[in-house]
Amino acid sequence: MRILHTSDWHLGRSFHRVSMLGAQADFITHLVDTARAREADVVVVAGDVYDRAVPPLAAVELFDTALHRLAEAGVPTVMISGNHDSARRLGVGAGLIDRAGIHLRTSPAACGDPVVLRDHHGDVAFYGLPYLEPALVKDTLGVERAGHEAVLRAAMDRVRADLADRGPGTRSVVLAHAFVTGAVASDSERDITVGGVAAVPLDVFDGVDYAALGHLHGCQTLTPRVRYAGSPLPYSFSEAGHRKSMWLIDLDARGEVAAERLDCPVPRPLARLRGTLEELLADERLAAHEDAWVEVTLTDPVRPADPMARLQERFPHTLSLVLAPDRSEEEALDSYARRLSGRDDRQITEDFVGHVRGGAGPDAAERALLHEALDAVRTADHLGEVHR
């Protein structure tokens, strides 16, 4: 069976205030054309179809177009909700859409109920594991204590139990939206940390032929059987080194995996430039970046006059400007935003406690309370998005 694996469309998301809807529409065209040209038997979408729980109308219309085009192409599609999606909204009409060959899997309770497709070797069972918010699904999955690993293991236990009851030779594919240990994150994924832990072990997916993962925006191979497709478009400058792509997976009669990486169309390359304003404007080696979306870090000791306007004369698609003067450690006065860069909420709150105490950070009990409070706020935010 030939599987086209994609994820993290984030329909409706912009890139530094630049609308990506046109590029997202181009990707949908590319996806359908590729599915036809490469004779894919099924398309799988591993979550974060939308960028928000309540997406803008233009994003909903583009999603509707994607469903119609996939159905018209006669390519079955299996799709799960991610942590950016509202599972209830995405799953509306799933029973009817099922008849068109578009299979939306958004219910945690249905983790063990696969979409079964056939090829000339027999059945392939596709199990959709939507994003599992631990505090919201632990009772549904019979887990005593909320945590990403616990709920995902419980969901996979249901998958393996169902698979054991199927005929010999049944091959299996799992779609999941999670952060797996060993994978590399970027700046554009929403934090899903619970109790200080975001990642789940790779062995959670033992026992299935292929795990099609979503959530992280970089295309990655954790094992030949466990892969991230990544986002088809860039959503932060931390993705400047990414090659945006999809996986074309061939699953043979024995469940062995052969994979081919297929590039996605990207409207512009990304570039991260650093130096003084005069250096950047004069360096001939930077000519290759003049048509790119550019993030500039200026190292001038004093802010130059009109830096953005002057940069855009040479690099018209400069979207982000960061000031980082080259100073001695004693002279450095980083901005608040720079002090927080690359730090999660847990680290920021613990550092704050240490700051107001003059250096002594929280003890173990205080740290546990902080983590509990952060988890409660994040869960409340997720519930608010679901019910909004």
Side-chain angles (χ1 to χ4, degrees):
M1 181 160 292
R2 177 161 284 186
I3 304 160
L4 189 56
H5 169 198
T6 178
S7 70
D8 295 272
W9 296 357
H10 288 279
L11 300 182
R13 187 165 183 164
S14 60
F15 182 75
H16 286 266
R17 299 177 298 281
V18 174
S19 173
M20 296 292 275
L21 275 171
Q24 290 168 342
D26 290 343
F27 164 69
I28 296 300
T29 297
H30 172 74
L31 173 70
V32 176
D33 290 348
T34 301
R36 281 179 166 145
R38 300 304 299 268
E39 299 181 335
D41 296 303
V42 58
V43 170
V44 299
V45 186
D48 280 355
V49 175
Y50 291 121
D51 190 56
R52 302 203 302 265
V54 185
L57 180 59
V60 177
E61 290 174 342
L62 181 54
F63 178 60
D64 183 62
T65 297
L67 296 186
H68 277 85
R69 295 189 65 184
L70 287 164
E72 288 167 3
V75 183
T77 301
V78 184
M79 185 178 295
I80 61 172
S81 50
N83 61 301
H84 280 251
D85 299 310
S86 165
R88 288 188 177 183
R89 284 187 172 87
L90 189 64
V92 167
L96 289 173
I97 297 172
D98 230 43
R99 301 178 185 179
I102 307 293
H103 309 284
L104 301 176
R105 291 296 182 263
T106 62
S107 170
C111 286
D113 301 331
V115 175
V116 180
L117 303 177
R118 290 185 61 84
D119 63 9
H120 55 280
H121 297 302
D123 289 348
V124 181
F126 289 81
Y127 297 90
L129 278 56
Y131 172 66
L132 302 172
E133 177 61 43
L136 303 183
V137 305
K138 67 182 185 68
D139 293 337
T140 299
L141 295 175
V143 175
E144 291 185 6
R145 187 171 179 177
H148 286 293
E149 181 178 351
V151 296
L152 198 52
R153 284 196 186 280
M156 284 299 300
D157 285 344
R158 295 190 178 197
V159 168
R160 285 184 282 263
D162 179 84
L163 192 57
D165 288 337
R166 296 191 174 272
T170 299
R171 290 155 292 160
S172 55
V173 175
V174 164
L175 287 71
H177 197 85
F179 186 176
V180 178
T181 302
V184 179
S186 63
D187 292 344
S188 51
E189 300 107 7
R190 182 181 294 173
D191 182 30
I192 59 171
T193 302
V194 172
V197 178
V200 300
L202 187 60
D203 67 4
V204 165
F205 298 104
D206 285 354
V208 296
D209 294 312
Y210 184 68
L213 301 183
H215 178 55
L216 300 184
H217 290 182
C219 182
Q220 301 173 59
T221 300
L222 302 184
T223 77
R225 297 186 182 277
V226 182
R227 300 171 187 262
Y228 281 98
S231 62
L233 293 165
Y235 294 113
S236 76
F237 278 104
S238 65
E239 300 171 53
H242 288 188
R243 173 185 162 196
K244 295 303 180 181
S245 52
M246 305 178 287
W247 287 113
L248 190 67
I249 302 295
D250 283 317
L251 202 61
D252 72 11
R254 298 175 299 166
E256 296 299 321
V257 172
E260 181 182 354
R261 193 172 174 184
L262 307 179
D263 290 334
C264 293
V266 175
R268 295 184 189 280
L270 306 186
R272 307 181 93 170
L273 307 182
R274 183 183 182 93
T276 67
L277 179 60
E278 296 305 324
E279 288 171 347
L280 297 178
L281 295 179
D283 192 340
E284 295 180 0
R285 294 171 298 176
L286 301 181
H289 304 307
E290 290 175 357
D291 195 44
W293 279 322
V294 175
E295 176 189 70
V296 172
T297 299
L298 288 182
T299 60
D300 298 76
V302 178
R303 180 189 177 101
D306 300 321
M308 181 62 90
R310 294 172 66 188
L311 284 165
Q312 289 180 334
E313 289 179 4
R314 182 178 186 190
F315 308 103
H317 305 290
T318 301
L319 301 181
S320 175
L321 176 61
V322 179
L323 299 175
D326 279 339
R327 298 172 179 170
S328 68
E329 186 174 344
E330 293 76 15
E331 296 174 320
L333 295 172
D334 284 345
S335 70
Y336 181 70
R338 284 184 55 79
R339 291 201 305 274
L340 300 187
S341 177
R343 307 184 70 76
D344 61 28
D345 292 343
R346 177 178 54 83
Q347 293 169 316
I348 292 168
T349 54
E350 290 180 13
D351 287 351
F352 176 76
V353 173
H355 173 72
V356 297
R357 284 180 174 171
D363 61 25
E366 292 169 332
R367 190 176 292 110
L369 285 173
L370 285 171
H371 294 179
E372 182 179 344
L374 289 169
D375 292 347
V377 170
R378 192 177 52 78
T379 301
D381 287 345
H382 188 80
L383 274 171
E385 287 189 347
V386 169
H387 295 299
R388 191 175 298 148

